[in-house]
Amino acid sequence: MGERNGFGEGSSYGSPQGGRSIARSSQKSKSLSSVVLDQSTVLNVSNSYNLFRSEEMTYVRLYFLNDSAHDHLLELGKYGFVEFVDMNPELTSFHRPFTPEIRKCEEMLRTIRFFQGVLQDYNIAPTNRGSKQLTFHEIEEILIEYEKQVINDTHSIEELSNDLHQKEERHLVLRESQSLLEQSTVHELRESNTEQRSQPLLRQDFESGRGKFSTVESIVGAISEDNMATLERVLFRVTRGVFVIQFSDQAIKFEYPPSRKASKLSSNKNFEMRRVFAIHFYGDRSEQKISKVIDALGGKRYYNVNSQELRQNELKELNDSIEEIKKVLGITRDARIKLLKEIAASINQWDEFVSKEIAIYHTLNLFEHDLKKSGIIGEGWCPKKNFQDLINILSGGKSDNSAIATEIVPRTEPPTYFKTNK
């Protein structure tokens, strides 16, 4: 019986075929060794470039006290080499303990975005001057108070601007309507109506039994220049061409207050040009139809003053009222600009603070809360070379043991971590 010599049964040791197999295996080992050498060369090259190989990671478990967890996470966020894992995957966002704080932060961010939009409308850039360090509740109260003031100022400016526009428009209507009503076209229309009284065409003129004839009526008002042609075409269809419309040569410019609502209403323009019109027609039915068309196109109808004395008195009252509104509107706008500059001085600081807070509370929702021991437990991945740095950051030069970090056996495969120069 032959000896096995440690090779087991079926070995070809000592046979010619076995010799050839050993030779082939030696050749394979040489080729494999060259491959291993080449791979080691590549690995040595890749080790000199951190971008081609992930850092070696370790799985850590952190223990925090409830009172100190927030401050420790704020400090860890400055370095950014710890990736926490969700220890409560079965919980929805509504059942996590710090959801109320996250909602407060989101509301604060909404207020900050509102301020940024108003500052952009008024072309006021943040000054980045900042202020003293404030707490979460202090910033929340400041944002609520500033938002109330900005909204109140916005409503006041819009109301004053609308009131000023209406009075200026009425002033223009009083000045221009008289010349429109005295033009020859209107007199010709009235004369043709007088000639046709002896031969009425409509039976309903005599249905009342009093033999009344339709007289020429007039409506004066103002409408946007963009809707002038539309108004004329629609009135031609409604009245079957039995009307005369006139527009003034002078237009009034109404500037919207710098607000998002006004920008949407004016098709991304902050002003509107309006002209005075005078419409002459027959009958009460036509008046109702014409009034509905004017209102639908955004026009404004005004009562007509025939007496010259009453016209002059009303013009004088409008002039006084316009000057008073302009003075109040200027004071209100100055106060608003001053308020917005105060907001611009600290808005970047508020934005950064609230963004950090919402990130901290999202991280705290990933942790496991030990109610019995008044502690919080978190787990995550950290580069192995930064583990000692993690311990130093958590200790903060103190020996109160408010935060402890330990290495444990990982549950999953480690993530990749590349340290870049930015």
Side-chain angles (χ1 to χ4, degrees), residues 130-275:
S131 59
K132 63 179 182 178
Q133 295 294 330
L134 301 175
T135 62
F136 180 86
H137 297 290
E138 289 175 343
I139 293 180
E140 183 181 13
E141 293 177 358
I142 290 174
L143 291 176
I144 293 174
E145 185 63 27
Y146 273 139
E147 185 180 18
K148 290 180 180 179
Q149 295 182 22
V150 171
I151 292 176
N152 290 336
D153 290 346
T154 301
H155 290 166
S156 299
I157 291 176
E158 288 181 355
E159 290 177 0
L160 289 172
S161 299
N162 292 333
D163 193 15
L164 177 63
H165 166 249
Q166 292 179 3
K167 293 185 181 301
E168 289 178 341
E169 193 173 70
R170 174 60 179 166
H171 190 276
L172 180 64
V173 169
L174 286 174
R175 288 190 291 109
E176 297 292 331
S177 61
Q178 183 65 23
S179 60
L180 293 177
L181 295 174
E182 292 176 354
Q183 291 182 8
S184 59
T185 306
V186 181
H187 291 293
E188 293 175 0
L189 183 65
R190 290 174 178 172
E191 289 175 2
S192 63
N193 178 49
T194 304
E195 294 175 358
Q196 295 175 2
R197 284 188 176 183
S198 59
Q199 298 177 358
L201 299 179
L202 300 178
R203 183 178 300 275
Q204 54 265 29
D205 292 337
F206 293 95
E207 287 182 353
S208 61
R210 293 177 292 180
K212 285 187 177 180
F213 294 92
S214 298
T215 59
V216 178
E217 302 290 342
S218 299
I219 294 179
V220 296
I223 195 169
S224 173
E225 287 184 340
D226 300 334
N227 295 329
M228 288 170 53
T230 305
L231 175 65
E232 192 168 359
R233 288 196 301 268
V234 175
L235 290 182
F236 184 85
R237 290 177 176 270
V238 169
T239 63
R240 298 181 181 180
V242 186
F243 79 103
V244 173
I245 186 169
Q246 300 167 297
F247 294 101
S248 64
D249 297 331
Q250 185 179 0
I252 183 173
K253 182 179 180 180
F254 171 56
E255 294 185 0
Y256 290 104
S259 64
R260 301 191 177 277
K261 180 179 179 181
S263 299
K264 292 179 180 179
L265 290 177
S266 57
S267 302
N268 297 326
K269 296 191 300 183
N270 61 347
F271 68 92
E272 184 182 27
M273 302 300 296
R274 296 174 72 86
R275 289 183 182 270

Side-chain angles (χ1 to χ4, degrees), residues 35-50 52-54:
V35 173
V36 172
L37 177 61
D38 294 340
Q39 289 180 351
S40 64
T41 305
V42 174
L43 292 178
N44 289 333
V45 173
S46 65
N47 284 333
S48 61
Y49 298 93
N50 292 332
F52 296 102
R53 176 176 285 273
S54 171

Side-chain angles (χ1 to χ4, degrees), residues 223 230-235 238 287-299:
I223 195 169
T230 305
L231 175 65
E232 192 168 359
R233 288 196 301 268
V234 175
L235 290 182
V238 169
E287 180 178 4
Q288 296 175 0
K289 296 177 181 178
I290 292 173
S291 299
K292 290 181 179 180
V293 173
I294 294 172
D295 296 340
L297 293 177

Side-chain angles (χ1 to χ4, degrees), residues 123-134:
N123 296 323
I124 299 177
T127 57
N128 296 324
R129 289 184 299 176
S131 59
K132 63 179 182 178
Q133 295 294 330
L134 301 175

